[in-house]
Amino acid sequence: MKFLATHIKHRFQFFRWLYFSVIAATLVLMWTGQPARSENFVVYFPNAHSILPLKTYENVRYLPVLKLLKVFGHVARVRSKKKELRVWFESTELQFHQNNRVVRLNKAKLRLSNPPQNIEGEWMVPVDFVTQILPTLINQNVEYQVGENRLFIGNISPNSFTLQMQPMQGGARLTFQFAEPVNLRTAARNGKWILYLGNRPVEPAESNFEFRNAYISRVQYDDQDGHPKLILTPAMAGLDFYPVLGNGEKTLVTEIMKPEVAATAPAPAGPQPAPEPQPAPSQPAAAAAAAKPPTAAPAPTPTTSLLPAVVLDPGHGGSDLGASGGNGLLEKDLTAQIVARVSKALQATGRYQIILTRTGDQTVNFDQRATIANTAHPIAFISFHAGNLGPSTPRVMVYTYQPSSPVALAPGADPRPLFIPWAKVQLGYLNRSQQLAQDLQQDLQKDTGVAGSPPMGVPLRVLRSIAAPAVAIEVGSLAPGSNPAPLTQKSFQDGIAAAVVQALGNFQGGQP
Ligand SMILES: [Zn+2]
């Protein structure tokens, strides 16, 4: 009896051991059969890029060899057996053997750091294939930094940057110094800020920066989708973010601030963040200055930054003059005048925080305007223009964005539809934009006494990337033969300001 019990117990232990070893074996199989990590590998050519899946097995990084070869040329024939792969690529016959680090190219033998692997029917080669074998297969310059997920082919000099973090009162300042100019676009996703750096590939000296700071915790360089960008992780929610690009588009200063501080702090030294709320915008035009009462000392209320933001965009500026009228009146000055009046009227309601895309006579490009607007998360973006609206004057038109060709919003074949393409941002706001345009059109007609036509959808570049209800107001006519005097009249400009105040009030009230 006793013997039997012991025997059973042993048998039980034996089966239990067997059972666990089966689990362990299954785990090992799964472990080696599945990548520990799945990433992308980006191949940059001078005017294009290709993305390949990169897989890591037992600490070795592999690329799918057939997909890789097809990026560089014509694969005429493939013969794949269980342990051997033969590929006819351009004029070279390549032979790979599982468990053999030697690869044959016609008669020559070249060596990889690790043997190729046939994993679930796909032949994979270790990443050093791109430095050990690829250069002899293609007649092009190959640049690869060991350990990185990007490869540069041909005549490319990738951009690079350095990053400096500077703590500030109530915030932090990040200064990115680029070797070459960048084309900046911003977006916000999942509580992170994303700074797209244009199409030029970047080879960062360092791609991950961690900070022990109350405002910013991490900056990462990422180009996994083929689009060079910086991903900024704020250390807490509810911070404001002011990126300003300067010094020939090579220096990017981004200030990350607590909203209260941003509204009341004195102007910091160094580059001035453009989108700070300005109680009284400077007046570039002498005509408007005369009509404007002397500005009292700015006294923003402490709650300013908690108010919903409205972004006003004076069209043109700096070297971009815009249209001009018969007496030499420039569109850039007229839009600044009108925006100053609209801003003052909106400030007077005490209901909004007003942000201007330019506060003086400087050149601001479309992406910079969109950057300022999108980082403010406004309830509305209103762009102001003046142009040739035909012989009768004054006239007022209201526009919303309409793509020049039909654009599908569906993510399509993009395997990582994480980011809405910058050029399609406004499409998500079109209904609200059209609603605001309707309200504005009616109020403009009422308050300026000028009969107008219904709002129109046009492919306006300045509205295209605005992540908010966005409209453009154009006054006219401002053309060489026209008399622009009615457009500079106080009553006309005050009418526009009153209409904007009323339309925004309606628009906000109508929000669900
Ligand atoms: Zn214009």
Side-chain angles (χ1 to χ4, degrees), residues 315-316 322-323 331 384-386 474:
H316 311 274
E331 182 180 359
F384 291 84
H385 287 263
E474 186 173 32

Side-chain angles (χ1 to χ4, degrees), residues 43-66:
V43 181
Y44 288 100
F45 297 93
N47 294 308
H49 65 257
S50 293
I51 299 174
L52 294 164
L54 180 105
K55 289 175 181 175
T56 305
Y57 298 90
E58 293 165 347
N59 293 324
V60 180
R61 300 171 337 125
Y62 291 90
L63 290 168
V65 68
L66 289 175

Side-chain angles (χ1 to χ4, degrees), residues 78-111:
V78 177
R79 229 170 69 194
S80 177
K81 293 183 185 166
K82 203 172 174 213
K83 304 232 156 185
E84 184 201 80
L85 173 72
R86 291 171 78 183
V87 183
W88 285 262
F89 171 80
E90 301 285 338
S91 58
T92 311
E93 185 195 336
L94 292 108
Q95 272 187 57
F96 302 87
H97 294 273
Q98 184 140 17
N99 308 325
N100 191 343
R101 296 195 293 144
V102 174
V103 178
R104 294 186 71 123
L105 282 78
N106 295 336
K107 296 276 171 254
K109 289 178 178 177
L110 291 172
R111 197 176 276 265

Side-chain angles (χ1 to χ4, degrees), residues 10-169:
H10 277 154
R11 272 179 66 97
F12 174 73
Q13 279 179 342
F14 169 75
F15 281 115
R16 192 168 59 173
W17 177 84
L18 185 71
Y19 175 67
F20 280 122
S21 63
V22 168
I23 289 179
T26 312
L27 281 175
V28 168
L29 279 174
M30 283 167 63
W31 180 252
T32 50
Q34 279 199 341
R37 266 184 313 155
S38 233
E39 298 168 86
N40 286 336
F41 190 89
V42 187
V43 181
Y44 288 100
F45 297 93
N47 294 308
H49 65 257
S50 293
I51 299 174
L52 294 164
L54 180 105
K55 289 175 181 175
T56 305
Y57 298 90
E58 293 165 347
N59 293 324
V60 180
R61 300 171 337 125
Y62 291 90
L63 290 168
V65 68
L66 289 175
K67 286 184 184 132
L68 177 69
L69 289 172
K70 281 172 187 165
V71 164
F72 292 95
H74 179 60
V75 173
R77 230 176 108 201
V78 177
R79 229 170 69 194
S80 177
K81 293 183 185 166
K82 203 172 174 213
K83 304 232 156 185
E84 184 201 80
L85 173 72
R86 291 171 78 183
V87 183
W88 285 262
F89 171 80
E90 301 285 338
S91 58
T92 311
E93 185 195 336
L94 292 108
Q95 272 187 57
F96 302 87
H97 294 273
Q98 184 140 17
N99 308 325
N100 191 343
R101 296 195 293 144
V102 174
V103 178
R104 294 186 71 123
L105 282 78
N106 295 336
K107 296 276 171 254
K109 289 178 178 177
L110 291 172
R111 197 176 276 265
L112 293 168
S113 62
N114 284 278
Q117 301 270 3
N118 181 349
I119 297 155
E120 290 158 6
E122 185 159 42
W123 281 88
M124 310 287 285
V125 285
V127 166
D128 71 329
F129 181 90
V130 302
T131 51
Q132 301 304 313
I133 293 171
L134 189 63
T136 47
L137 288 176
I138 61 169
N139 195 18
Q140 287 182 83
N141 188 35
V142 173
E143 214 183 294
Y144 177 67
Q145 198 174 310
V146 175
E148 293 296 343
N149 287 8
R150 63 191 70 86
L151 177 69
F152 302 101
I153 303 296
N155 224 351
I156 299 182
S157 53
N159 205 347
S160 62
F161 65 89
T162 57
L163 169 57
Q164 245 189 346
M165 196 275 289
Q166 215 182 324
M168 291 166 67
Q169 172 94 41

